[in-house]
Amino acid sequence: MSGVLDAQAAADLDGVIYDFIVPAKEPWSRVIKAGEILRIIDLEGQQAVDFLCFNAADPGDRYSSMNTIKVQGNTYVAKGTVLYSDSGAKLFTVIEDTLGQHDTVYGCCSNPNNFLRYGVHTTESCYSNFLKELSKHGLDRSAIVGNVNFFMQVPIMADGGAGIAADISAPGGYVDLRAETDVLAVLSNCPQMHNPCNAYNPTPIRVIVRNVA
Ligand SMILES: [Zn+2]
């Protein structure tokens, strides 16, 4: 359960039905029922959270960064953004956001792209975390698509260049995601140690689910 970190934040919330600290570098998943609100809290700041979601009734209908970017005409996720599926179904709506800009272009870290980018042979990555967590739901690597990177900023420059910005997400920052149907949420608390997305220090995050209906 919640532990001692940031205990006051949940005490102030209505309708809490689930409260969990995801340890540094670990994955997590849960089905969020329609109308429930998933809060993801960057407890200590500057911690990327790689995020996939699926229509729980039909997991083949998964998060689509294509549809999300095209429909809203914006490459960033922020308050008001709807996360769409391949079929065009609304999965989540971002209803609160203390940061104001999250990435959904850059995808997740993997052992192969860590080698290609940094020349290092890693054994932990968001891709590996996704595989482990997806297997609990009968899903495999075919379910790993371009994801949302909460608390991570990848500014796209005029020349098309993109890179990970450092030192942006403040401690205690959060997003609230309202489920628009029953949604399987799968996340990786990013273990990356080779770029600034976690300030070279992966830390725990907190997930809270509320039913305020
Ligand atoms: Zn990662």
Side-chain angles (χ1 to χ4, degrees):
M1 290 297 288
S2 62
V4 296
L5 287 169
D6 200 26
Q8 190 60 36
D12 292 342
L13 294 172
D14 293 330
V16 173
I17 58 173
Y18 177 88
D19 186 354
F20 185 72
I21 302 284
V22 182
K25 302 184 176 184
E26 291 295 317
W28 172 88
S29 62
R30 181 178 171 90
V31 172
I32 311 300
K33 300 283 192 185
E36 291 178 354
I37 298 166
L38 170 63
R39 175 169 292 194
I40 306 172
I41 305 173
D42 182 2
L43 291 172
E44 299 183 32
Q46 199 62 19
Q47 177 56 52
V49 175
D50 291 51
F51 184 88
L52 292 169
C53 53
F54 307 82
N55 186 334
D58 175 15
D61 193 27
R62 58 206 179 173
Y63 172 65
S64 169
S65 60
M66 288 187 294
N67 289 345
T68 298
I69 290 170
K70 285 176 191 288
V71 169
Q72 283 147 139
N74 198 296
T75 58
Y76 299 125
V77 171
K79 183 174 180 177
T81 300
V82 174
L83 305 184
Y84 284 98
S85 74
D86 287 334
S87 77
K90 294 180 177 181
L91 297 177
F92 282 113
T93 301
V94 182
I95 60 171
E96 288 295 341
D97 170 19
T98 63
L99 184 58
Q101 182 173 308
H102 309 259
D103 169 69
T104 191
V105 169
Y106 227 50
C108 72
C109 66
S110 71
N111 295 327
N113 70 41
N114 281 338
F115 180 71
L116 290 167
R117 289 188 291 173
Y118 310 119
V120 293
H121 290 285
T122 51
T123 57
E124 51 192 12
S125 66
C126 289
Y127 195 95
S128 302
N129 275 345
F130 280 150
L131 284 178
K132 178 178 163 188
E133 199 65 25
L134 289 165
S135 71
K136 298 177 181 175
H137 304 280
L139 298 169
D140 62 18
R141 68 179 185 176
S142 65
I144 301 177
V145 294
N147 54 285
V148 180
N149 290 306
F150 285 116
F151 312 116
M152 179 169 150
Q153 303 221 11
V154 184
I156 298 172
M157 305 306 176
D159 67 355
I164 297 161
D167 302 325
I168 299 292
S169 177
Y174 64 86
V175 290
D176 277 339
L177 309 175
R178 184 183 64 218
E180 302 298 352
T181 186
D182 291 355
V183 184
L184 170 63
V186 178
L187 64 77
S188 167
N189 193 7
C190 181
Q192 180 63 261
M193 297 288 285
H194 299 282
N195 69 47
C197 71
N198 305 320
Y200 303 96
N201 177 34
T203 51
I205 61 165
R206 183 175 183 176
V207 287
I208 294 173
V209 180
R210 289 180 289 147
N211 185 339
V212 296

